[in-house]
Amino acid sequence: MESTVKERSIEIESTGLCTNLGWLLSQANHAMTTEMTARLEGIGLYPRNFCVIQAASQDDRTQTEIAQAIGLDKTTMVTSVDELEAAGLVERVPSVTDRRARIIRVTEQGAAKAAEAKRIIGELQEEILDSLPADQRTALMDGLQTLVGDRLAEPVECGRAVRRRD
Amino acid sequence: MESTVKERSIEIESTGLCTNLGWLLSQANHAMTTEMTARLEGIGLYPRNFCVIQAASQDDRTQTEIAQAIGLDKTTMVTSVDELEAAGLVERVPSVTDRRARIIRVTEQGAAKAAEAKRIIGELQEEILDSLPADQRTALMDGLQTLVGDRLAEPVECGRAVRRRD
DNA sequence: TATTGTTATACTCTATAACTATA
DNA sequence: TATAGTTATAGAGTATAACAATA
């Protein structure tokens, strides 16, 4: 069960997985999400809810706007907002321009929690990026941002839809 | 529903999500997996099973060895091998050195299928990487490989374990 | 008629636990 | 006693569909 970094690298290489972008993203995502979950456990916040509260922090945004920005299903979004509201971190405020819509307002307590979470996640992220050679650090972030903002912005149509996780 | 690349980029930026490595990985992973699933649908192969058959293609490997290399639970692995075997792409061959273990042998048909899948996925991957500026291309792959081989090689302990998807 | 948000639920799929056979 | 593989099943969590209020 104990495996060194070198063993792990050799193992990946010999399977041809290291040239597989999809697998690399899946691995990195899973390990990263797990670590974020573990670190945020202490302040009682799921990574996904951190995204929600973060997206709600800037301007006035409706539930649907936030869901679409993050890439969440609207019913999944309801669950997130329910949790955040129950914890007193956000409030659903009726929009004045559209009485169907609810603005997600971050409470004072929510803002404090978000700041704390941002610190924790920021630290983790720095730690992870610091494990890379300097030139790979920014290039990785830049590359991912480009992909997610462009070529991989929206999931394609797919017969048997792939469910989202985290 | 229709959103341009520029709109998408602005949206991401204004939410602070673009600096969130975890979210970027999650987004990229989901879009990539969906696209792989769509493209492999034509030849009747799931992305995960492609990983399995690919990992089984090189040396003689047991089921557990492959599962561990890819990062699959052993029970999930059983399902994958069942599917591949039912499709005639692999065979479970008893190991001669350990009668408990099964070597996953790729059949001729399986090798052909794997080659076809590799072509399809390779093309997709090139297409995606080509959407990046030249300098970001290799840096992205290198960076991911480094992370997955090292800092993000194994998911950390976590009270409420994060389930793996794809 | 279309959209926001909600509820209820079906469905998918992973991981746990328990078991067999070997080591 | 521990490990490889299997089976059965519970459990988590997303997406579908149907609904109410409003546009």
Side-chain angles (χ1 to χ4, degrees):
Chain A
M1 212 91 302
E2 284 294 314
S3 59
T4 68
V5 168
K6 181 170 271 184
E7 279 167 0
R8 178 70 184 157
S9 295
I10 289 171
E11 187 179 30
I12 292 171
E13 206 153 333
S14 69
T15 53
L17 289 168
C18 68
T19 61
N20 186 330
L21 176 59
W23 181 78
L24 289 170
L25 288 172
S26 171
Q27 280 290 109
N29 175 49
H30 184 245
M32 177 95 199
T33 302
T34 303
E35 197 146 348
M36 287 195 296
T37 305
R39 298 226 184 170
L40 290 178
E41 239 166 13
I43 63 169
L45 205 61
Y46 299 128
R48 185 211 280 156
N49 290 358
F50 169 56
C51 284
V52 171
I53 200 170
Q54 192 176 15
S57 293
Q58 324 277 346
D59 306 302
D60 280 3
R61 284 174 211 269
T62 67
Q63 222 165 287
T64 303
E65 282 169 351
I66 294 172
Q68 210 224 334
I70 301 179
L72 292 181
D73 188 271
K74 65 176 181 175
T75 60
T76 307
M77 182 68 184
V78 170
T79 308
S80 274
V81 177
D82 281 350
E83 290 167 356
L84 289 169
E85 196 170 40
L89 304 179
V90 304
E91 284 170 340
R92 283 182 238 240
V93 181
S95 162
V96 287
T97 61
D98 183 343
R99 286 193 302 180
R100 292 172 303 180
R102 315 295 185 97
I103 301 294
I104 303 305
R105 206 193 117 246
V106 178
T107 65
E108 209 169 323
Q109 206 186 348
K113 182 80 81 177
E116 175 69 352
K118 198 177 173 186
R119 197 189 56 69
I120 292 172
I121 294 300
E123 200 173 322
L124 168 62
Q125 193 166 313
E126 253 185 75
E127 202 180 306
I128 289 174
L129 290 174
D130 278 353
S131 79
L132 291 176
D135 58 311
Q136 282 175 21
R137 259 170 246 161
T138 53
L140 177 70
M141 288 298 287
D142 290 348
L144 284 174
Q145 280 172 29
T146 307
L147 288 181
V148 168
D150 187 0
R151 181 61 178 76
L152 295 179
E154 297 292 343
V156 299
E157 283 304 310
C158 179
R160 190 222 206 186
V162 176
R163 292 198 168 190
R164 181 105 191 236
R165 171 81 53 192
D166 43 89
Chain B
M1 212 95 301
E2 283 294 314
S3 59
T4 68
V5 168
K6 182 170 274 184
E7 279 166 1
R8 179 70 184 156
S9 296
I10 290 170
E11 189 178 29
I12 293 171
E13 207 152 334
S14 69
T15 53
L17 289 167
C18 68
T19 60
N20 186 330
L21 176 60
W23 180 77
L24 289 170
L25 288 172
S26 171
Q27 280 290 110
N29 175 48
H30 184 246
M32 177 95 198
T33 302
T34 304
E35 198 147 349
M36 287 195 296
T37 305
R39 297 224 185 171
L40 290 178
E41 241 168 11
I43 64 170
L45 205 61
Y46 298 127
R48 185 211 281 156
N49 290 359
F50 170 54
C51 284
V52 171
I53 200 171
Q54 192 176 15
S57 294
Q58 324 277 346
D59 306 301
D60 280 3
R61 283 173 211 271
T62 66
Q63 222 165 287
T64 303
E65 282 169 350
I66 294 172
Q68 211 225 334
I70 302 180
L72 293 180
D73 188 90
K74 65 176 180 174
T75 60
T76 308
M77 181 68 184
V78 170
T79 308
S80 274
V81 177
D82 282 349
E83 290 167 356
L84 289 168
E85 195 170 39
L89 304 179
V90 305
E91 285 170 340
R92 283 183 238 239
V93 181
S95 163
V96 288
T97 61
D98 183 342
R99 285 193 303 180
R100 294 171 302 179
R102 315 295 185 98
I103 302 293
I104 303 306
R105 206 193 116 244
V106 178
T107 66
E108 209 168 323
Q109 206 186 349
K113 182 80 80 178
E116 176 68 354
K118 198 177 173 187
R119 199 189 55 70
I120 293 172
I121 295 301
E123 200 173 320
L124 168 62
Q125 193 165 312
E126 255 184 74
E127 203 182 304
I128 289 173
L129 290 174
D130 278 354
S131 78
L132 291 176
D135 58 311
Q136 282 176 21
R137 256 170 249 163
T138 52
L140 177 70
M141 288 298 287
D142 290 347
L144 283 174
Q145 280 171 29
T146 307
L147 288 180
V148 168
D150 188 0
R151 181 61 179 77
L152 295 179
E154 296 292 342
V156 299
E157 283 304 308
C158 178
R160 188 223 210 187
V162 176
R163 291 198 169 189
R164 180 106 193 236
R165 171 80 56 190
D166 43 89

